[in-house]
């Protein structure tokens, strides 16, 4: 038998007859969940967060990506102008799928890597959403060199969809954009 031990504005905590916490309502989704569904929080009631782990992740994923990328850009002497709205717009512009593989398992990719310390930095003009596996294989490589190792259908979509879209964002032709990326890559190699 569960006993309500705490009831405040948005919090309802349930304990068993021995006072052991068993469940609570999530402050975000309002669902009753087992106490194991809540992450640790030192000064939270019972040492747990008020919102469940899945709500917490959902709420903080995009903002943590922006914070992480701002930090990485700053470490490499690059500007960081990305906003949450721009990040969302970039994903919607692609129809919420990878332009190369049509996958929906997406991560934000800086086409000119922040680790190069050259180029646009953490900016809308430098971000696309890419399949997680493709993103891992690209790493911090020059995209125009990396693409040559990909299957033909990926290469075709790269040159026919992705590059024209990104070139247009940057006010360049596809050829001008390729030259710009290669110049940034050359600067990166010369810095090493």
């Amino acid at each position: 038998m569960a006993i309500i031990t705490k009831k405040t504005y948005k919090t309802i905590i349930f304990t068993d007859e021995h006072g052991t916490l068993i469940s609570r309502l999530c402050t975000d989704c309002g669902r009753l969940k087992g106490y194991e569904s809540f992450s640790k929080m030192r000064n939270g009631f019972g040492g747990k967060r008020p919102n469940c782990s899945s709500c917490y992740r959902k709420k903080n994923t995009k903002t943590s990506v922006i914070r992480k990328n701002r930090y990485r850009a700053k470490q490499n002497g690059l500007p960081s102008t990305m906003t949450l709205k721009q990040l969302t717009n970039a994903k919607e512009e692609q129809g919420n799928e990878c332009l190369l593989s049509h996958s929906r398992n997406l991560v934000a990719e800086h086409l000119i890597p922040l680790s190069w310390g050259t180029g646009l930095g953490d900016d809308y003009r430098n971000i696309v959403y890419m399949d997680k596996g493709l993103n891992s294989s690209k790493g911090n490589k020059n995209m125009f060199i990396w693409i040559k190792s990909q299957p033909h259908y990926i290469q075709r979509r790269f040159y026919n969809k992705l590059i024209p879209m990104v070139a247009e964002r940057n006010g360049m032709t596809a050829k001008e954009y390729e030259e710009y990326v290669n110049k940034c890559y050359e600067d990166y190699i010369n810095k090493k």
Side-chain angles (χ1 to χ4, degrees), residues 90-188:
K91 195 173 189 180
E92 289 172 358
E93 184 179 3
Q94 294 179 218
N96 295 311
E97 68 179 21
C98 175
L99 294 176
L100 304 179
S101 69
H102 300 296
S103 166
R104 293 192 176 271
N105 186 16
L106 303 174
V107 291
E109 162 65 20
H110 291 89
L111 292 173
I112 301 171
L114 299 178
S115 63
W116 288 7
T118 183
L120 300 165
D122 186 35
D123 186 274
Y124 173 72
R125 297 168 296 161
N126 192 34
I127 290 275
V128 295
Y129 275 86
M130 191 179 282
D131 172 74
K132 205 172 194 172
L134 288 173
N135 178 278
S136 292
S137 75
K138 180 188 170 289
N140 78 336
K141 299 173 188 135
N142 179 331
M143 70 180 120
F144 291 99
I145 295 170
W146 164 79
I147 196 63
K148 293 173 185 170
S149 68
Q150 299 304 307
H152 183 69
Y153 73 96
I154 298 282
Q155 291 181 34
R156 195 170 50 247
R157 291 174 186 161
F158 177 83
Y159 286 106
N160 294 336
K161 290 183 177 183
L162 187 117
I163 295 304
M165 180 190 78
V166 178
E168 185 180 320
R169 275 189 198 167
N170 285 280
M172 301 178 189
T173 65
K175 185 70 179 158
E176 289 170 335
Y177 182 71
E178 183 174 358
E179 289 169 359
Y180 175 70
V181 171
N182 288 330
K183 172 74 173 100
C184 290
Y185 182 66
E186 188 179 306
D187 292 346
Y188 164 64

